[in-house]
Amino acid sequence: MIRDKISVSIQTLRWKCIESRAYSKRLHYGRFALSPLRKGRADTIGIAMRRALLGEVEGTCITRVKLENIKHEYSAIIGIEESVHDILMNLKEIVLRSDSYGIREASIYIVGPRNVTAQDIILPPSVKIIDTTQHIARLTKSITSDIRLQIEKNRGYIIHSSNNYQDGIFPIDAVFMPVRDVNYSIHSYGSGNEIQEVLFLEIWTNGGLTPREALYEASRNLIDLFIPFLHGEEQNIDGMNNKKGSNMLPFPLSHVLTDTGETKEKIAFQHIFIDQLELPPKTYNSLRRANIHTLLDLLNYSREDLMRIEHLEKESVEQVLEVLRKRFAIDPPRN
């Protein structure tokens, strides 16, 4: 039955999306299959993918809230039905999506009486709210509510101390994981030495990413972890590449790219994405708009080419060149 449902080939490994649905704005589901796999490989891939999906996929959260003249999270605010603690918990439930890194500022400025929802948040252009109906607070009197928010993109989670409050700034425990749950199962067919396996992955997300996007990002992050092993033996462990504080990658990337077929360096460049270069958000966004997504894409541009990219100023170009020199020992040609 499995063989009928999923076309398999002994020579070619293929994946397929079997099911994809959105139960709500904050609950998406996807089911994927990878086949054919030799006996034992499905379990190896399933374990690695589950860990990568739950721990390596990035998400965006509200991490700090500033409330003027409030000193404690259990304080009551005259004219607001909820306590400060309830407001913080409601803000924690807001699901965000962002394509840029670094700290972003947002705000809520409302005059009551009225209900305050996620739709009332004034966001920077790079951030989007998944469910704008999320309740935040109810103003019962004619008062002004002015709340400042700090938004970050990261992975994993951050737990703050309950005593870490000062000047009306309240840190929020941030869960950056857009993947809420992952299951995998294995189905076998064949007999004897011809046993083949099909790996099924089930992914639930909070809507910040679709299951397909989460699967792509987790796969990319796993590839990044193994790239160093594609470049032969490690260099002298006491050498330059292992000096404390060095930002150099543990494999040489300074060779000139040629047109004589795919080289190992090209493979490495193709799997290093520009969001790993830790560039300023403005520079990163300009490169993305120019369809530069990987280091290999970037190395197809000379200095003059970079200067012609829209919204990429001279200072930003110098930042890109500095990163290439320091981290990869690469100096692109001027023309």
Side-chain angles (χ1 to χ4, degrees):
M1 185 174 71
I2 295 172
R3 184 177 294 181
D4 293 336
K5 190 171 184 179
I6 301 171
S7 60
V8 295
S9 164
I10 293 177
Q11 291 78 26
T12 307
L13 193 63
R14 300 182 183 277
W15 75 276
K16 180 179 180 180
C17 179
I18 299 175
E19 184 179 357
S20 178
R21 66 176 68 176
Y23 292 102
S24 67
K25 290 182 178 180
R26 292 193 283 178
L27 182 58
H28 290 228
Y29 170 79
R31 188 167 185 249
F32 307 88
L34 179 68
S35 66
L37 295 162
R38 278 191 265 172
K39 186 178 180 181
R41 285 186 174 179
D43 199 44
T44 301
I45 298 173
I47 292 171
M49 287 303 302
R50 187 176 190 277
R51 292 178 67 91
L53 283 161
L54 291 173
E56 297 294 327
V57 178
E58 295 179 327
T60 305
C61 291
I62 296 172
T63 55
R64 288 181 184 274
V65 180
K66 184 173 183 180
L67 299 167
E68 296 292 344
N69 303 319
I70 303 297
K71 297 183 178 180
H72 197 278
E73 69 167 312
Y74 293 103
S75 302
I77 304 176
I78 297 175
I80 298 182
E81 192 173 285
E82 292 81 2
S83 67
V84 172
H85 175 78
D86 292 333
I87 294 174
L88 296 178
M89 291 302 99
N90 290 337
L91 289 169
K92 183 178 177 180
E93 292 297 317
I94 294 175
V95 178
L96 301 169
R97 179 185 178 114
S98 175
D99 295 325
S100 61
Y101 291 84
I103 296 174
R104 297 286 178 273
E105 303 293 335
S107 62
I108 304 172
Y109 186 82
I110 294 295
V111 178
R114 58 166 294 179
N115 285 324
V116 182
T117 66
Q119 187 174 5
D120 297 309
I121 299 177
I122 302 171
L123 293 167
S126 58
V127 182
K128 176 185 175 183
I129 294 175
I130 300 302
D131 183 6
T132 57
T133 65
Q134 169 66 40
H135 177 73
I136 297 174
R138 174 173 171 75
L139 277 60
T140 58
K141 296 183 178 180
S142 181
I143 63 170
T144 299
S145 173
D146 188 6
I147 304 174
R148 303 291 172 174
L149 308 174
Q150 178 178 294
I151 296 171
E152 294 183 45
K153 184 175 183 179
N154 209 325
R155 64 183 61 174
Y157 57 88
I158 298 176
I159 304 298
H160 292 284
S161 168
S162 58
N163 298 321
N164 192 21
Y165 305 139
Q166 55 182 352
D167 299 328
I169 299 176
F170 298 87
I172 296 180
D173 294 342
V175 180
F176 294 103
M177 300 179 289
V179 178
R180 291 303 186 220
D181 198 9
V182 179
N183 285 335
Y184 78 90
S185 59
I186 301 168
H187 297 271
S188 303
Y189 59 92
S191 60
N193 295 329
E194 301 298 325
I195 292 179
Q196 300 287 325
E197 295 180 336
V198 182
L199 172 66
F200 291 96
L201 275 170
E202 293 182 287
I203 304 171
W204 289 264
T205 71
N206 65 359
L209 288 178
T210 65
R212 187 188 291 262
E213 289 172 326
L215 183 63
Y216 171 81
E217 185 171 332
S219 302
R220 189 189 73 186
N221 290 338
L222 279 177
I223 291 170
D224 291 343
L225 291 175
F226 290 107
I227 280 178
F229 296 106
L230 298 177
H231 296 269
E233 292 187 34
E234 62 180 294
Q235 303 299 312
N236 180 8
I237 197 166
D238 296 319
M240 180 181 66
N241 287 345
N242 293 280
K243 288 182 180 180
K244 186 176 181 181
S246 174
N247 288 325
M248 296 291 291
L249 291 185
F251 47 86
L253 296 177
S254 56
H255 301 289
V256 178
L257 298 181
T258 66
D259 295 328
T260 58
E262 288 291 323
T263 64
K264 290 182 178 180
E265 286 76 17
K266 280 188 177 181
I267 295 173
F269 296 151
Q270 191 175 12
H271 292 99
I272 298 176
F273 291 77
I274 62 171
D275 54 5
Q276 298 170 255
L277 305 184
E278 299 178 357
L279 296 168
K282 184 178 179 181
T283 305
Y284 170 80
N285 290 330
S286 297
L287 294 176
R288 285 289 299 271
R289 283 192 290 266
N291 290 321
I292 298 175
H293 302 286
T294 67
L295 185 57
L296 184 60
D297 296 335
L298 184 58
L299 293 179
N300 287 326
Y301 284 73
S302 67
R303 299 188 189 191
E304 288 189 2
D305 294 333
L306 291 173
M307 293 292 292
R308 296 190 188 101
I309 294 177
E310 189 176 4
H311 304 305
L312 195 65
E313 300 172 355
K314 182 178 179 180
E315 181 182 351
S316 299
V317 172
E318 292 301 324
Q319 291 171 339
V320 172
L321 298 177
E322 185 69 12
V323 169
L324 293 177
R325 281 192 292 266
K326 284 188 175 181
R327 296 186 60 179
F328 305 101
I330 294 173
D331 195 10
R334 291 190 173 274
N335 299 318

